[in-house]
Amino acid sequence: MKKIFCAALLSGIAGILCAGELIFSGTPVKIEFADRIKFPVYAWPETLLSYPVKFAGDSDLSKLVLLNQDNRQIPVQWEKTGENSATLYFMSDLPSGAVRTFTLQPGEPEKFPAPEMLSAELPESQKFSTPVHQAPGPFSMLKKPGETKGFGVSTLSSPKLSITSVESKITASGPLFKTAEVNYTFS
């Protein structure tokens, strides 16, 4: 089993130094990070982490799991970055003086419920028959978890160029986060 070790350097701003590159060749790979300073003021809260992963050969991302130190699966999300590479996303904290260990290995991923988070409503994709100088902004409104009524409004104003279209699309959606792209065309 390969092992990647990361030490959190907590001196005002948390950072991570990783020795080596995460390379997955089909056998379990361990990821470990620790707070060696043990100063109570510095505790890393639950945070979305990302690790670049290179694959030795073909790997089916949908058949990989990440286990925590209790040997339980945790939610992950992948972003393909190349033919044999991807970014692994997962959540973790790091209390003062703690060590966190994870194992990336082949397996059947569990289904995790969608997290409760603030959601943004995107503007409807549309082409304007007559170019406009003001269009719906990148977020039509924000909604709190479990609420149907949202709050806020946004607009995009362009005093010099006319807006001819807006296109919205979800580019990634998983158990940890969603990303979206909103494109405006000007003339």
Side-chain angles (χ1 to χ4, degrees):
M1 178 180 308
K2 294 180 183 173
K3 188 174 179 180
I4 301 293
F5 175 75
C6 299
L9 299 177
L10 301 171
S11 59
I13 298 175
I16 297 178
L17 292 178
C18 295
E21 187 173 45
L22 190 56
I23 299 174
F24 186 79
S25 60
T27 59
V29 176
K30 223 174 245 281
I31 300 168
E32 182 177 279
F33 52 96
D35 170 30
R36 305 276 187 227
I37 297 172
K38 300 178 186 174
F39 190 61
V41 172
Y42 301 116
W44 183 359
E46 185 86 10
T47 304
L48 180 66
L49 303 177
S50 62
Y51 278 85
V53 180
K54 293 206 186 287
F55 299 96
D58 290 335
S59 282
D60 184 353
L61 300 178
S62 68
K63 299 292 182 195
L64 297 177
V65 298
L66 190 64
L67 306 176
N68 64 14
Q69 59 263 15
D70 299 324
N71 215 31
R72 287 190 300 226
Q73 279 191 39
I74 62 169
V76 299
Q77 198 161 327
W78 290 95
E79 177 185 14
K80 194 91 167 132
T81 56
E83 190 174 321
N84 291 317
S85 61
T87 300
L88 168 66
Y89 294 94
F90 64 98
M91 301 291 290
S92 184
D93 66 350
L94 186 62
S96 179
V99 175
R100 292 289 185 256
T101 305
F102 302 91
T103 305
L104 178 64
Q105 65 184 40
E108 194 61 40
E110 293 176 22
K111 298 285 184 209
F112 291 95
E116 288 193 15
M117 64 178 108
L118 193 65
S119 63
E121 211 169 272
L122 301 175
E124 185 179 320
S125 292
Q126 57 188 309
K127 289 186 179 185
F128 302 106
S129 54
T130 304
V132 297
H133 289 281
Q134 188 169 344
F139 301 112
S140 298
M141 75 172 68
L142 298 174
K143 291 182 184 174
K144 292 181 183 176
E147 292 187 7
T148 55
K149 192 174 183 180
F151 59 93
V153 65
S154 72
T155 57
L156 177 71
S157 297
S158 176
K160 293 186 180 181
L161 295 174
S162 296
I163 303 167
T164 58
S165 69
V166 58
E167 180 189 356
S168 301
K169 64 181 174 181
I170 302 293
T171 56
S173 182
L176 299 177
F177 61 88
K178 285 184 183 180
T179 57
E181 185 176 294
V182 179
N183 292 305
Y184 293 87
T185 306
F186 298 87
S187 64

